[in-house]
């Protein structure tokens, strides 16, 4: 049994319509001026204004920063920082997908601790207290609401920087499944597979422990049972809620055990070819399950026993069956299953493998992975 230090930092409020309590919860934190960080898609859907209205109804001066892009970069954070310096918030709200929450955390680092986002790449680099933050996720994917990490890409080098500090963790996460119903089917597919990968990767990391395993297992159970349901009926609020909880629990598992080779392989595909994160994960995950499963078949058999797919209460098998189950979910969700179909050039795979080998997350994979193993995995997925 590995030792752990489990310190829950985020209050989690769950329920349909709970976004209406944003103002009240912000007031409990003593907020007077709230900066809501969101992206244009969420603003068009009306969710961001909903949040701002709730804050204003509670007597809080609230304003909206809408300059977030998918896979936020240092440029998005710098724009948010300039906005924050002007507005002088005492509370940050990340309202949207992982990009909005990560960008809000990035702004928090720079607004309270100064410097550049590169200064916080790694763990525990902030020396000053940070502003309280509330996360309101509108997708069921990254689980950023439950993590102390901000993922920000360097606008020049495209390197994905994981900046972690317990002070950056959200004080409150509001999980309102009604907010996730408006997301486009492509987003439901990509974020759903990403959340599934978080449950599966965290279950087998080198740092897996009693706490992370509890969250991984419950996340996998919720996600495997409900992903098909939200694909079939995007308005199924019950299933949407289960996906949102599953994604959040998977985020808590990451916070307590980190990720693995699937994420190491996915990041260079996003950086070099703009393959969306969930799409890159969808291609690589089945191959990593087979690779890790060769050494740890019992862990994957354990996951198969707690999988619930297509209404069948229990599935049997090991790594190969799990890889096939994930591959079938990828196909069913309409995502691409091979690198060749994403515009990735075969002769650049060695270069991508070099990049993947340098990813921090690779060090947590249960089987050691270097450039050669990662290149072999890219080749299998091509
Ligand atoms: Fe991910």
């Amino acid at each position: 049994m590995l030792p752990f230090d489990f310190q829950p930092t985020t209050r989690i409020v769950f329920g349909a319509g709970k976004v209406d309590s944003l103002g009240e919860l912000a007031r409990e934190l003593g907020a007077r001026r709230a900066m809501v960080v969101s992206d244009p898609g969420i603003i068009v859907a009306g969710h961001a204004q909903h949040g701002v209205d709730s804050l204003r109804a509670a007597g809080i001066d609230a304003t909206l920063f809408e300059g977030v892009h998918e896979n936020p970069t240092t440029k998005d954070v710098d724009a948010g920082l300039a906005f924050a310096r002007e507005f002088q918030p005492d509370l940050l709200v990340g309202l949207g997908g992982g990009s909005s929450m990560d960008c809000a955390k990035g702004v928090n680092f720079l607004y309270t601790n100064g410097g550049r986002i590169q200064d916080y790449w790694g763990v525990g680099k902030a020396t000053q207290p940070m502003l309280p933050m509330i996360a309101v996720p509108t997708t069921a994917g990254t689980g950023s609401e439950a993590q102390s990490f901000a993922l920000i890409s360097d606008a020049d080098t495209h390197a994905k920087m994981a900046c972690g500090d317990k002070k950056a963790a959200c004080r409150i996460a509001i999980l309102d499944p009604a907010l996730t119903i408006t997301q486009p089917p492509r987003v439901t597919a990509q974020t759903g597979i990403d959340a599934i990968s978080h449950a599966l990767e965290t279950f087998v990391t080198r740092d897996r422990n009693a706490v992370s395993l509890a969250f991984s297992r419950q996340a996998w159970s919720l996600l495997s049972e409900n992903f098909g349901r939200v694909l079939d009926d995007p308005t199924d609020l019950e299933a949407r809620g289960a996906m949102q909880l599953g994604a959040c629990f998977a985020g808590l598992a990451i916070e307590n055990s980190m990720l693995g080779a699937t994420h190491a392989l996915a990041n260079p595909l996003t950086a070099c070819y703009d393959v969306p994160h969930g799409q890159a994960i969808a291609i690589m995950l089945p191959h990593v399950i087979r690779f890790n499963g060769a050494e740890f078949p019992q862990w994957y058999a354990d996951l198969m026993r707690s999988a619930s797919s297509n209404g069948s209460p229990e599935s049997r098998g090991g790594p190969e069956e799990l890889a096939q189950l994930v591959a079938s979910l990828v196909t069913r969700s309409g995502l691409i299953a091979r690198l060749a179909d994403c515009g990735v050039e075969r002769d650049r795979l060695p270069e991508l493998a070099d990049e993947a080998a340098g990813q921090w997350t690779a060090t947590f994979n249960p089987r050691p992975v270097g450039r050669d193993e990662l290149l072999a995995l890219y080749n299998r997925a091509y």
Side-chain angles (χ1 to χ4, degrees), residues 286-338:
H287 300 284
V288 172
I289 290 171
R290 288 189 184 96
F291 174 79
N292 286 334
E295 208 160 303
F296 302 99
Q298 71 284 9
W299 292 347
Y300 291 96
D302 191 352
L303 285 166
M304 278 307 284
R305 279 192 295 277
S306 43
S308 179
S309 59
N310 304 324
S312 69
E314 200 173 272
S315 310
R316 303 232 170 261
E320 181 53 37
E321 287 73 18
L322 183 61
Q324 285 177 20
L325 171 58
V326 170
S328 73
L329 290 173
V330 168
T331 308
R332 185 169 168 193
S333 65
L335 293 173
I336 294 168
R338 306 217 64 86

Side-chain angles (χ1 to χ4, degrees), residues 19-288:
V19 67
D20 289 334
S21 56
L22 173 60
E24 202 180 299
L25 291 167
R27 211 166 46 182
E28 280 182 35
L29 294 176
R32 287 205 171 90
R33 298 174 69 78
M35 172 173 155
V36 179
V37 176
S38 197
D39 66 76
I42 298 308
I43 290 159
V44 169
H47 300 320
Q49 192 56 45
H50 206 121
V52 168
D53 290 346
S54 171
L55 289 161
R56 286 181 181 155
I60 293 165
D61 191 358
T63 189
L64 190 57
F65 170 71
E66 49 188 275
V68 182
H69 300 89
E70 206 170 304
N71 298 314
T73 68
T74 41
K75 274 189 189 161
D76 297 318
V77 175
D78 288 343
L81 175 64
F83 191 98
R85 282 187 175 145
E86 182 85 11
F87 179 68
Q88 306 262 315
D90 56 14
L91 174 81
L92 291 170
V93 178
L95 197 160
S99 301
S100 295
M101 293 184 277
D102 284 346
C103 185
K105 286 182 202 167
V107 169
N108 205 354
F109 273 110
L110 302 192
Y111 183 63
T112 55
N113 278 260
R116 309 182 314 147
I117 206 74
Q118 286 84 347
D119 300 336
Y120 303 97
W121 191 357
V123 179
K125 304 274 179 76
T127 54
Q128 301 299 315
M130 294 172 69
L131 290 188
M133 181 176 150
I134 297 179
V136 189
T138 59
T139 61
T142 66
S144 178
E145 68 275 10
Q147 292 164 42
S148 57
F149 282 82
L151 295 179
I152 307 291
S153 296
D154 188 312
D156 299 320
T157 66
H158 302 288
K160 202 166 194 174
M161 299 177 283
C163 306
D165 196 296
K166 289 290 178 199
K167 294 188 279 300
C170 301
R171 295 282 290 278
I172 300 173
I174 300 175
L175 305 183
D176 182 345
L179 297 180
T180 68
I181 282 178
T182 54
Q183 61 186 313
R186 180 186 59 87
V187 176
T188 297
Q190 290 172 0
T191 54
I193 287 288
D194 188 30
I196 284 171
S197 79
H198 296 164
L200 297 178
E201 286 230 282
T202 53
F203 193 76
V204 301
T205 60
R206 285 174 184 277
D207 282 8
R208 71 203 294 267
N209 59 68
V211 169
S212 74
L213 289 173
F215 286 122
S216 302
R217 195 185 293 282
Q218 185 60 19
W220 167 238
S221 174
L222 286 163
L223 296 166
S224 61
E225 186 174 342
N226 290 282
F227 188 45
R229 284 176 65 187
V230 296
L231 292 174
D232 290 344
D233 178 8
T235 65
D236 184 337
L237 194 61
E238 197 71 25
R240 288 288 193 184
M243 288 298 290
Q244 208 181 23
L245 268 188
C248 181
F249 288 168
L252 282 160
I254 297 175
E255 182 73 6
N256 289 283
S257 68
M258 303 311 293
L259 289 160
T262 311
H263 279 74
L265 288 156
N267 290 345
L269 297 171
T270 303
C272 302
Y273 286 100
D274 263 340
V275 181
H277 178 67
Q279 171 60 77
I281 291 288
I283 295 172
M284 298 313 308
L285 181 58
H287 300 284
V288 172

